[in-house]
Amino acid sequence: KLKEVEDLVADLVEVNVPFNNYITGFCAFTHKAGIHAKAILANPSTYEIIDPADFGISRYIHFASRLTGWNAIKSRAQQLNIEMTDAQYKECTAAIKRLADIRPIAIDDADSVIHAFHRNVKMGKTNPANVVLPNMTEKERLQLEEKEREDQKVPEKRRLDETVAEEVETEQIVKKARTNGVMA
């Protein structure tokens, strides 16, 4: 009801409600960055002390961004009734991030990449992340190819990062078990 009252008053006095208004602004319950969006998807109370539904507002996970994480892309793909493996979601996310590094992307662009990636996987293409949008300029295509070449040079670093993350997670599990009196 608060949003409805705010909109009514704004209409009557002929002012616009700021997009960043507390609680009722468009951005108040918008989440963007990877780890932040993952936490919101898993348990909204980690970053929201109040439920947006209490104010007639919807939560929004922004996924068309270079800051997006694979959990946000997985959530969006599932909204589109597209199921893939976690590794495929991660690869699709990398494709979206590459595109977003080149130019601002809209929701339709991200959705097109998700659909094209999924279609490429289903067709058995060896590089399903090689997705070019029809509205891309020649310059953007060339920049995207360069970003893909750069990304191909970094798989060793990614594997190392994943290994370190797994070791940290394992260590945290062991510490928690010890805290609870379980010996490893």
Side-chain angles (χ1 to χ4, degrees):
K1 291 275 188 203
L2 181 62
K3 178 68 176 153
E4 293 171 15
V5 171
E6 180 182 58
D7 288 341
L8 176 66
V9 171
D11 287 344
L12 291 173
V13 297
E14 298 178 355
V15 297
N16 292 324
V17 176
F19 73 93
N20 61 347
N21 211 25
Y22 302 111
I23 300 174
T24 56
F26 172 74
C27 294
F29 295 97
T30 297
H31 308 282
K32 189 174 187 175
I35 194 75
H36 182 94
K38 178 183 180 181
I40 289 294
L41 289 166
N43 179 3
S45 68
T46 54
Y47 281 98
E48 296 175 347
I49 60 169
I50 54 179
D51 185 353
D54 292 345
F55 301 95
I57 310 287
S58 297
R59 174 181 300 111
Y60 175 66
I61 306 295
H62 184 63
F63 58 90
S65 159
R66 62 185 296 276
L67 300 177
T68 196
W70 72 273
N71 287 283
I73 298 304
K74 179 178 181 177
S75 174
R76 180 59 178 173
Q78 289 171 340
Q79 291 171 359
L80 299 170
N81 294 316
I82 294 175
E83 290 295 328
M84 297 186 279
T85 66
D86 285 353
Q88 290 166 337
Y89 287 124
K90 290 175 183 179
E91 198 174 341
C92 183
T93 302
I96 290 170
K97 287 180 168 202
R98 277 193 297 273
L99 182 59
D101 277 342
I102 293 167
R103 69 170 201 196
I105 61 173
I107 291 171
D108 289 344
D109 293 330
D111 285 352
S112 293
V113 171
I114 293 168
H115 280 290
F117 181 91
H118 184 250
R119 191 171 40 255
N120 290 346
V121 167
K122 291 293 180 196
M123 291 172 44
K125 292 196 175 180
T126 55
N127 185 7
N130 189 8
V131 175
V132 176
L133 299 178
N135 63 351
M136 290 178 70
T137 65
E138 185 60 29
K139 181 180 177 184
E140 290 171 338
R141 286 187 179 137
L142 293 172
Q143 289 174 320
L144 187 60
E145 287 175 14
E146 179 60 29
K147 292 291 285 173
E148 287 171 353
R149 280 193 295 277
E150 288 173 16
D151 280 0
Q152 292 303 319
K153 296 176 185 175
V154 223
E156 299 82 22
K157 181 188 179 307
R158 282 204 192 103
R159 278 196 295 276
L160 178 62
D161 289 346
E162 289 169 2
T163 302
V164 169
E166 288 170 10
E167 289 175 4
V168 168
E169 185 176 339
T170 301
E171 183 61 31
Q172 289 172 344
I173 292 169
V174 169
K175 283 181 181 176
K176 187 174 182 179
R178 286 185 183 142
T179 303
N180 293 328
V182 179
M183 298 306 287

